[in-house]
Amino acid sequence: MKTIIDHIRQSLSTKLSLGIVLLTTLVFVLSLGILFFQSRNNIRQEAQEHAVSVLDATSHRVKSYISTIETATNANYQIALRNMQPDSLLALSRRIVTLNANVNGCSITTEPYTFPQYGRYFSAYSVRFGDDSISTVREAEYEYFDKIWYKAPRRLGEPCWVDPFDDYNEGTLSATDMIASYCRPLYHNGHFVGVISTDLSLTRLSQIIATEEPYPNAYFLMLGQDGHYFVHPDSTRLVDKTIFDMNDAQDGTDIIAIGHQMTTGKQGSLFTTIDGKPSLVCYQAVPGTNWSLALVCPESDILHNYYKLSYVLVPLLVIGFILIFLLSRHIVIGAVKPLNRLVSQSQRIAAGHYDEQIPYSSRTDAVGMLQNSFATMQQSLSRHVNDIVHVNEETQQRNTELLQARQLAEEAGRQKTAFIQNMTHQIRTPLNIINGFAQVLRDNFYELSATERNKISDLMEHNANTLNRMVLMLYDISEVGLSEELRSHRHEQVLCNELARECITSIHLHFPNLPIQFETTLPDTFFIRSNKLYLMRSIREILYNSAKYSDGEHITLQLSATAYTVKFVFSDTGPGIADLYQPLMYVPFTKVNDLSEGLGLGLPLTQRHVANLGGALTFDTTYHEGCRFVLELPITSKA
């Protein structure tokens, strides 16, 4: 006995065999279940055939109902054309409603100024109230040409049904409930003159449709061509709601699919869920219209008797399953417990926990061998993954470095190209001017007056100075000889007031009529030790920018001194520098407008010159009337 038990413990095949023997007892239960579900399918199939039959009969009743309305309209079409007079049209509208019990209302509406005595609008309208009361009026003036019942037949040029709508218009006679209309265009001698439109009541239509329902909770619904409900037991959905609004794309895909089938005139049936209830939906188009009719039968009604049978079978099946489950569980748990633990550990490894340790097993059966194989595989996998991670990290680092280097190279190339293009444009303009005027002087020197020659020479001199200024900037930005020149002339004696006046005079060469106000609190003998050339270039550059970008009328240069420094304050009025561009104004080759004059080097060079001279150039952000720069230099000695 012990030998048999040990064999069972060590043999996975024996354990599985015992499980298979136990599971064979389920054959009877499965056979009964198949029969049970087959019966359910047969009942659903019969219900589907019955629902389709009822739907077909109802569809024919609806067609018969709307055919009477179409017939009433078509029969009076020629009468309306032969009697195109206001009183006749009013009488004909009332006659159509009176003689046709299915007609809820009738309007005969004409094109603008058909009857000049009534102006732009004429609409003869009769509507039924209750069973006996009919009102006929010439409607008050309103823009009925934009109504769908008028536009649709006029556009199509043929009779058509329009989806239900609210007939209410302020100041006019209106139906008491929602209506759908059959509209036929009126043509007189080949010209469109109006529309004759007969109405059916949705309430009356719903009563006709609901005369036969195959199940206690079954109901009909009808959709217009764009999916709007105009027959539905839930009145809140009528007209304003569509079948697509009531279902989202995930939970109601079947309903949306049915909606598309119905709005395209298809026929079919489907078991799905509507309003949270499993239901059978059968649908088909209403002949002669763009509408579609559907019958919804709750599955609870269809399978009512079927569920009664389940009250007996289900308890028996449940008890059988419980007994078999308990017996199988007792045997299988012990057999597959190691496998479950191994599966859990393998899942953690698959999730990325490669350091998950799988212990070795002392068992000698197939499960033990499998566990030991997994433990060995995990250790090997962990080593390889660590190696791969290390290689990936190194590769990622190299890729990042290469990407940065590539971006820097691309940016350098872009800046180089932009600089060359900009420099070429800026230098070419004054060169062209100089060359052009040189040719004028060569060819027409004696024909030009002295004033003209002086003016041309001034322009040539101005553009030559512009070229000289740009060349000096390029020379400065290249730093060729800059450090040596600064060292050799760093301690020149510079008279501050005299230097300021020289710079103002230099600016007047470019802008002759520019007013520059000079204010100083320093004596003319006041001097500092600095490099006069680079200080002069810095002052002239700031004044040049003020002259070029300000309003050209309020430029001020103020000089003052403290115990240790001298300040040059440059102020102007005008647009100033926007907050967006202030961080970029000291970046070489940067301009607000790429097409503007200059190389974008003035302020960057000025800041660098001032810094090399031991001073500082700052932009006063508290000044909002234009621009204000403060150039501050140390005083090494005083006069």
Side-chain angles (χ1 to χ4, degrees):
M1 184 65 179
K2 184 177 180 180
T3 304
I4 297 175
I5 295 174
D6 291 339
H7 176 72
I8 294 174
R9 289 179 177 175
Q10 296 177 0
S11 175
L12 179 61
S13 60
T14 303
K15 296 174 184 178
L16 293 177
S17 298
L18 289 175
I20 292 173
V21 170
L22 294 175
L23 290 176
T24 53
T25 58
L26 295 176
V27 172
F28 174 74
V29 176
L30 293 176
S31 300
L32 184 61
I34 292 172
L35 179 62
F36 186 75
F37 286 109
Q38 184 62 39
S39 300
R40 180 175 181 271
N41 291 335
N42 291 339
I43 294 173
R44 285 161 59 103
Q45 182 65 32
E46 292 177 1
Q48 186 173 356
E49 294 174 357
H50 179 51
V52 170
S53 176
V54 172
L55 178 64
D56 186 66
T58 304
S59 178
H60 281 85
R61 285 200 304 274
V62 172
K63 175 57 180 175
S64 177
Y65 175 66
I66 64 177
S67 292
T68 61
I69 295 176
E70 295 175 357
T71 301
T73 305
N74 297 331
N76 290 277
Y77 172 79
Q78 292 297 334
I79 298 175
L81 292 178
R82 289 195 301 269
N83 298 275
M84 288 295 291
Q85 297 297 327
D87 292 339
S88 300
L89 296 180
L90 287 167
L92 180 60
S93 171
R94 185 178 184 90
R95 179 173 179 269
I96 292 174
V97 178
T98 303
L99 297 180
N100 297 274
N102 291 335
V103 174
N104 189 70
C106 176
S107 67
I108 304 176
T109 311
T110 64
E111 282 285 88
Y113 302 105
T114 300
F115 304 115
Q117 64 271 33
Y118 294 113
R120 174 180 171 83
Y121 309 96
F122 179 82
S123 175
Y125 184 44
S126 297
V127 63
R128 186 189 306 276
F129 296 98
D131 295 329
D132 300 319
S133 176
I134 297 175
S135 295
T136 301
V137 297
R138 183 179 72 83
E139 292 192 273
E141 296 182 354
Y142 72 98
E143 198 67 16
Y144 55 76
F145 309 109
D146 295 331
K147 300 296 183 180
I148 184 64
W149 52 267
Y150 193 93
K151 292 193 300 183
R154 182 179 185 181
R155 176 174 53 83
L156 296 174
E158 60 183 17
C160 64
W161 280 95
V162 297
D163 287 353
F165 58 91
D166 187 351
D167 186 50
Y168 177 77
N169 288 285
E170 185 174 359
T172 66
L173 182 65
S174 301
T176 57
D177 58 0
M178 303 300 295
I179 60 174
S181 297
Y182 176 73
C183 311
R184 177 163 184 170
L186 296 173
Y187 286 92
H188 185 69
N189 295 330
H191 298 286
F192 176 83
V193 296
V195 172
I196 178 170
S197 172
T198 50
D199 309 327
L200 65 85
S201 168
L202 291 189
T203 302
R204 173 63 176 161
L205 182 62
S206 299
Q207 292 173 352
I208 292 175
I209 290 176
T211 55
E212 181 179 352
E213 295 176 345
Y215 298 101
N217 297 308
Y219 61 89
F220 288 92
L221 59 87
M222 184 176 286
L223 302 181
Q225 62 181 350
D226 57 354
H228 281 88
Y229 293 101
F230 57 93
V231 172
H232 196 284
D234 183 1
S235 59
T236 62
R237 301 188 184 185
L238 296 181
V239 179
D240 292 334
K241 300 293 184 181
T242 71
I243 193 172
F244 308 108
D245 297 335
M246 306 303 294
N247 301 278
D248 58 53
Q250 293 182 346
D251 299 332
T253 52
D254 288 342
I255 304 303
I256 293 175
I258 291 174
H260 286 296
Q261 292 278 21
M262 293 179 67
T263 54
T264 55
K266 302 295 178 59
Q267 178 178 354
S269 58
L270 180 68
F271 280 94
T272 185
T273 300
I274 296 183
D275 297 332
K277 299 178 180 179
S279 304
L280 168 64
V281 182
C282 299
Y283 53 90
Q284 68 177 45
V286 177
T289 70
N290 292 324
W291 307 335
S292 186
L293 183 65
L295 173 61
V296 180
C297 302
E299 195 173 77
S300 58
D301 287 2
I302 297 173
L303 301 177
H304 178 70
N305 294 328
Y306 172 83
Y307 290 143
K308 286 184 178 180
L309 179 62
S310 66
Y311 296 153
V312 177
L313 293 177
V314 170
L316 292 177
L317 291 175
V318 169
I319 293 173
F321 275 118
I322 290 175
L323 293 176
I324 294 173
F325 173 74
L326 292 175
L327 182 58
S328 300
R329 184 175 181 276
H330 178 73
I331 297 174
V332 172
I333 284 180
V336 303
K337 185 176 181 179
L339 291 177
N340 290 336
R341 185 168 57 249
L342 186 59
V343 167
S344 176
Q345 293 169 330
S346 300
Q347 288 175 343
R348 284 185 55 80
I349 294 174
H353 302 282
Y354 301 111
D355 56 348
E356 178 76 16
Q357 295 295 324
I358 299 178
Y360 284 91
S361 174
S362 59
R363 295 177 54 166
T364 58
D365 59 4
V367 174
M369 296 173 64
L370 180 63
Q371 181 173 343
N372 293 336
S373 298
F374 266 88
T376 303
M377 181 179 66
Q378 182 275 328
Q379 293 177 358
S380 178
L381 179 62
S382 179
R383 289 194 302 271
H384 286 295
V385 168
N386 289 334
D387 293 340
I388 293 173
V389 169
H390 180 69
V391 171
N392 286 341
E393 290 176 351
E394 292 181 348
T395 303
Q396 183 65 29
Q397 182 178 357
R398 293 192 184 96
N399 289 340
T400 302
E401 294 172 353
L402 289 173
L403 178 60
Q404 293 174 348
R406 177 184 175 184
Q407 292 173 344
L408 290 174
E410 290 176 350
E411 179 62 20
R414 187 192 67 80
Q415 292 182 353
K416 181 186 70 175
T417 301
F419 166 69
I420 292 174
Q421 292 174 345
N422 184 44
M423 183 182 67
T424 302
H425 171 74
Q426 297 297 335
I427 293 177
R428 182 174 55 195
T429 300
L431 279 178
N432 289 339
I433 293 174
I434 294 172
N435 289 334
F437 282 128
Q439 184 176 358
V440 170
L441 291 176
R442 184 192 64 189
D443 298 338
N444 305 289
F445 182 82
Y446 296 105
E447 298 176 6
L448 297 173
S449 64
T451 301
E452 291 174 333
R453 288 196 297 269
N454 290 335
K455 185 176 181 180
I456 290 175
S457 64
D458 289 342
L459 288 173
M460 293 176 68
E461 181 181 8
H462 172 75
N463 284 278
N465 290 334
T466 301
L467 278 175
N468 181 60
R469 179 172 172 269
M470 286 189 286
V471 171
L472 287 176
M473 284 186 177
L474 292 173
Y475 178 80
D476 287 349
I477 200 66
S478 68
E479 297 187 354
V480 176
L482 176 59
S483 299
E484 182 179 351
E485 187 173 356
L486 280 174
R487 283 196 301 270
S488 61
H489 299 87
R490 179 72 177 271
H491 302 290
E492 292 180 288
Q493 181 176 301
V494 181
L495 293 172
C496 295
N497 289 343
E498 180 183 341
L499 178 64
R501 293 187 182 98
E502 289 181 11
C503 292
I504 293 174
T505 302
S506 176
I507 294 300
H508 281 149
L509 295 176
H510 296 276
F511 304 93
N513 300 319
L514 177 71
I516 300 178
Q517 184 177 357
F518 175 58
E519 301 174 359
T520 179
T521 61
L522 307 178
D524 288 343
T525 57
F526 183 89
F527 67 89
I528 62 174
R529 296 289 181 178
S530 186
N531 186 303
K532 182 178 180 180
L533 175 62
Y534 283 96
L535 179 55
M536 179 181 292
R537 287 182 184 176
S538 300
I539 295 173
R540 284 191 307 192
E541 185 60 38
I542 300 176
L543 288 174
Y544 188 87
N545 284 345
S546 296
K548 186 166 62 171
Y549 297 114
S550 70
D551 61 1
E553 296 180 1
H554 303 86
I555 301 174
T556 303
L557 171 57
Q558 298 172 315
L559 265 69
S560 62
T562 65
Y564 303 101
T565 61
V566 61
K567 290 185 179 180
F568 295 80
V569 180
F570 307 84
S571 303
D572 63 57
T573 58
I577 300 176
D579 294 343
L580 177 64
Y581 296 104
Q582 289 179 15
L584 303 175
M585 60 186 176
Y586 298 127
V587 178
F589 309 113
T590 301
K591 300 189 295 182
V592 175
N593 183 0
D594 289 339
L595 299 178
S596 63
E597 180 183 350
L599 299 174
L601 295 175
L603 285 177
L605 282 174
T606 301
Q607 185 195 44
R608 192 173 74 179
H609 293 340
V610 173
N612 288 332
L613 294 174
L617 177 66
T618 57
F619 178 74
D620 187 356
T621 58
T622 63
Y623 181 75
H624 301 294
E625 296 180 4
C627 287
R628 174 177 288 167
F629 284 91
V630 178
L631 192 159
E632 190 169 11
L633 291 171
I635 300 175
T636 57
S637 64
K638 295 184 179 180

